[in-house]
Amino acid sequence: MSRAGQFRRRAVPALAALTVGALALAACSGGGDGDGDGGGGGGDGTLQILALKHPLTGAMADMAWVGQIEEAAGVTIEWEEVSADWDQKKPTMLAAGDIPDLIVGTNAITNGDLATFNGLFEDLSDDLESLPNVTGMFEAVPATESMATQPEGEIFSLPSYRRFWPETGTRQFINQQWLDNLGLEQPTTWDELHEVLLAFKTQDANGNGDPNDEIPMDWAPVGETGFGLFQPTVLLGSMGMPISDGGGAGYFVEDGEVKNFLIDERYRDLIAFLHELYADGLISQDVMTQDYSAYQSVARGEGDTARVGFTWGWAGSDRVGAQLVGQYSALPPLRADESMSEADLTWSYDSYMLNYGVNSITMSAQSDNKEAALAVINAFYDQDISLEVLWGDFDENITKVDDTSYEVLPPTDETVDPSTWKWTTTLADNGPGWIRDDIDVVLPSDLAEAVEQSQPLEAAIANVDPDADIFPGQLIKMSQEDLNTISINNTAVFTIAMQRWATWITEGGVESGWDGYVAEVGGSGLAQNIEIHQSYYDEFSSSQG
C-alpha cells in the first residue's frame, strides 16, 4: 500500500519535555509563505561558504536554490566544495584559524570543534533578531534550540529538522523468492536463520544453475570508530538490548545506568553467532574489506538474478535496485532463541540522527560581511528553500502545489533510484533547513517505501523508550576537557574493539578472549568514558524533571 504524502508518525518521546504541543504550531516570523525572507538583507560583495558534500552531489553552481539564497542575502557566494578527506583537511584549517564565512554540512563542525576552537565561531545567540526563520524553528521545534545551545547559552552552530524520516534507518530484508524456490518459511530465530542461510548457500537458491554464486548474508562496511546503519548490530535487539543510530560508539541506558555494548555479554554472543555463520561460508567473504559502493552493487545482482539472500538497508529499492526489489520481503526482528518473546525484542532507534541534523551551519566570528552571512543563514531556513535544499530544485525535483503543499518528483532518469537521485542534485541531508510540521508533502517513493517497510519493526521499536533507553547525545553539551578525554580514550578503545570485531567474526575466539578483552578496553579508557557519560546523563535527567 502506498503511503506517499502521509503516514502515521509517533511523537519522539525523548523530546517530549521539550516539544509538548510545539509540533502543532505554525511556522512564524518569516519564511512561512516561502518568499525567501532574508531577515534584513546583506551588503555588497561576496561571501565564502564551505560546503561538505556527498561524493555524488553535483556542483553548487548547478543548484537553482543557490541563486535564491544569493538574492535573499544580496550577495554573491563563492563556494568551496569538499567531498572527501574532510577529517584530514579540517584540523589544519581550524588550527590556522583561517575559516570561511560559513561552513555548511551536518556535523562538519562537531561539538568538540566548537569547544576546542570556540573563538573562531560567531555566537548567534546575540543575532537571533536577524534570524526570524531560525527563531521560528526554535519555537515550533524546541529540541532544535536545545541542540544548538551551549551550557552557558551561546549558539555557535544550528541544526536542521527534517520531520518525515521514520524512527529507524535500518530495515531487514530477505529474498522471498529464494525462500519460495526452496520451500522455506521466513526465519524467526537465529537458529532458523542459520538453517535458511545454509539452504541459500547449498541449494542454488537463485535458480541460475550455479550453486556457488549466492551470498547468503551481507552487511554495510563498519568504520574504525564504531557502528552505523545497515549493520548486524541491530541483532542486539534480538536479545532485548536498546541501541540507537545503528550502535554508534556503543552507548545505551538500562535502568538509569549508562552502559556500552562493547563490553556487554550480549555483544559477545552476537559475535559468536556471526562467527558460526562466517565459518559456514554464509557471510560475504568481502564483508570486512569492501567499500559501500561494492556492498551496494553486489546486492543488485545481474538482471533478474539476485546474489544476496539476507541483508539490511534503507529501503528495498535502494538496497537491491528496482529490478530485484520485488523478490525481497521486509522481515520482522529475529529472536536470539526460543526463550525470547516478541515483547522482549528491540530495534535500533535512529530518529534523532535521521530527523535532526546536528551542527548543520556554522558562522565565522571574523566574517567581513556579517549582515550578509546572517541573511544567508536565515534564507537556508526559509520554507521553500529548506525543501529545495533537502530534495532539489522546484520543477525538476519538487513541485510547489500551493503555499503549503508540495510534491517530490521522481527521478528524470528512470534508471536511477530516488535515494541516489536526491544526493546527485542537492545537499540533501547535509544541508541546513527546517521542514515545517504544518505543510503537506507528497514524499518521494523511497521514503514512502522505507516507512512502509518499517511496519514489521514497529512493535520492536515501540519497545524502546527513548527517554529511558537512549543516551541523548544530541541534547547534551559536554565540556572541552571531557570531550578531549573521550576522544583520546576512543582512539585506544576502538583500535582494540574494531580489530577484535573483525578477527573474532572471521577467525573465532571471542569466548576464550572475552574476559581479557573487557579488561583491556576498560583499562584503555572505556570505563572512564562511561563514567563521564553517566554524570552528564544524570544531570540531564534531573533537568528534565
Side-chain angles (χ1 to χ4, degrees), residues 187-409:
T188 63
T189 66
W190 285 5
D191 284 344
E192 290 177 5
L193 176 64
H194 195 160
E195 294 303 313
V196 164
L197 297 181
L198 281 170
F200 284 175
K201 176 178 174 58
T202 60
Q203 299 182 34
D204 188 24
N206 63 17
N208 69 343
D210 183 352
N212 300 311
D213 68 342
E214 288 85 359
I215 299 173
M217 176 189 282
D218 199 9
W219 63 73
V222 173
E224 297 179 355
T225 57
F227 297 91
L229 304 182
F230 322 143
Q231 295 167 4
T233 41
V234 293
L235 292 178
L236 290 168
S238 298
M239 298 173 282
M241 179 185 290
I243 66 170
S244 59
D245 302 344
Y251 294 98
F252 65 103
V253 182
E254 280 186 333
D255 299 324
E257 181 181 353
V258 177
K259 300 181 179 180
N260 191 294
F261 67 64
L262 293 174
I263 53 174
D264 190 289
E265 291 184 353
R266 288 167 288 186
Y267 177 69
R268 177 201 63 192
D269 294 345
L270 171 61
I271 292 176
F273 171 63
L274 294 175
H275 171 64
E276 291 177 7
L277 302 183
Y278 192 91
D280 284 343
L282 307 181
I283 297 173
S284 169
Q285 298 302 292
D286 299 320
V287 74
M288 298 299 176
T289 58
Q290 66 187 347
D291 61 17
Y292 192 84
S293 62
Y295 162 75
Q296 283 289 75
S297 63
V298 163
R300 299 192 175 203
E302 297 181 4
D304 294 326
T305 302
R307 293 195 60 200
V308 175
F310 177 87
T311 189
W312 297 276
W314 166 247
S317 61
D318 178 66
R319 180 68 187 100
V320 299
Q323 190 163 352
L324 294 179
V325 66
Q327 295 186 21
Y328 288 79
S329 293
L331 195 65
L334 301 168
R335 293 173 292 145
D337 56 47
E338 295 288 352
S339 69
M340 298 291 295
S341 71
E342 291 185 4
D344 298 322
L345 303 180
T346 63
W347 195 258
S348 182
Y349 186 88
D350 311 323
S351 187
Y352 294 155
M353 177 179 69
L354 296 174
N355 284 297
Y356 299 86
V358 66
N359 298 337
S360 293
I361 188 165
T362 311
M363 178 178 169
S364 168
Q366 289 80 41
S367 176
D368 293 329
N369 200 345
K370 179 177 178 179
E371 187 178 4
L374 291 170
V376 166
I377 292 173
N378 193 62
F380 264 110
Y381 290 85
D382 168 80
Q383 178 170 300
D384 282 356
I385 293 175
S386 293
L387 289 159
E388 291 182 281
V389 171
L390 183 56
W391 277 304
D393 293 326
F394 284 148
D395 299 326
E396 182 176 359
N397 300 88
I398 186 170
T399 293
K400 183 175 182 178
V401 180
D402 55 42
D403 285 347
T404 60
S405 301
Y406 304 82
E407 180 177 358
V408 182
L409 302 174

Side-chain angles (χ1 to χ4, degrees), residues 25-304:
L25 294 176
C28 62
S29 300
D33 60 0
D35 60 1
D37 176 13
D44 296 331
T46 62
L47 207 66
Q48 295 179 330
I49 304 181
L50 184 150
L52 187 63
K53 298 168 28 181
H54 191 286
L56 292 174
T57 305
M60 300 301 298
D62 295 336
M63 302 175 193
W65 58 260
V66 168
Q68 298 168 31
I69 287 181
E70 289 180 320
E71 182 178 357
V75 70
T76 299
I77 297 174
E78 293 181 351
W79 294 95
E80 179 181 354
E81 304 177 36
V82 178
S83 298
D85 301 323
W86 174 236
D87 287 340
Q88 286 73 49
K89 297 173 182 176
K90 179 173 66 171
T92 302
M93 181 188 74
L94 296 181
D98 183 19
I99 64 175
D101 296 285
L102 296 170
I103 298 174
V104 168
T106 299
N107 219 27
I109 299 297
T110 66
N111 287 333
D113 298 328
L114 297 175
T116 303
F117 301 97
N118 56 10
L120 288 181
F121 308 110
E122 176 71 13
D123 179 5
L124 298 172
S125 67
D126 298 328
D127 303 304
L128 292 177
E129 289 185 359
S130 299
L131 301 171
N133 287 328
V134 173
T135 57
M137 178 178 71
F138 285 174
E139 182 179 355
V141 192
T144 58
E145 185 173 13
S146 296
M147 291 178 181
T149 306
Q150 299 295 316
E152 301 302 319
E154 307 97 336
I155 296 175
F156 295 120
S157 192
L158 297 170
S160 59
Y161 174 60
R162 292 186 282 270
R163 173 190 171 191
F164 283 112
W165 269 239
E167 290 172 318
T168 186
T170 298
R171 273 144 287 280
Q172 187 164 261
F173 300 101
I174 194 164
N175 192 304
Q176 185 66 46
Q177 183 169 300
W178 289 13
L179 290 173
D180 295 342
N181 288 347
L182 302 179
L184 301 172
E185 299 293 328
Q186 290 184 354
T188 63
T189 66
W190 285 5
D191 284 344
E192 290 177 5
L193 176 64
H194 195 160
E195 294 303 313
V196 164
L197 297 181
L198 281 170
F200 284 175
K201 176 178 174 58
T202 60
Q203 299 182 34
D204 188 24
N206 63 17
N208 69 343
D210 183 352
N212 300 311
D213 68 342
E214 288 85 359
I215 299 173
M217 176 189 282
D218 199 9
W219 63 73
V222 173
E224 297 179 355
T225 57
F227 297 91
L229 304 182
F230 322 143
Q231 295 167 4
T233 41
V234 293
L235 292 178
L236 290 168
S238 298
M239 298 173 282
M241 179 185 290
I243 66 170
S244 59
D245 302 344
Y251 294 98
F252 65 103
V253 182
E254 280 186 333
D255 299 324
E257 181 181 353
V258 177
K259 300 181 179 180
N260 191 294
F261 67 64
L262 293 174
I263 53 174
D264 190 289
E265 291 184 353
R266 288 167 288 186
Y267 177 69
R268 177 201 63 192
D269 294 345
L270 171 61
I271 292 176
F273 171 63
L274 294 175
H275 171 64
E276 291 177 7
L277 302 183
Y278 192 91
D280 284 343
L282 307 181
I283 297 173
S284 169
Q285 298 302 292
D286 299 320
V287 74
M288 298 299 176
T289 58
Q290 66 187 347
D291 61 17
Y292 192 84
S293 62
Y295 162 75
Q296 283 289 75
S297 63
V298 163
R300 299 192 175 203
E302 297 181 4
D304 294 326

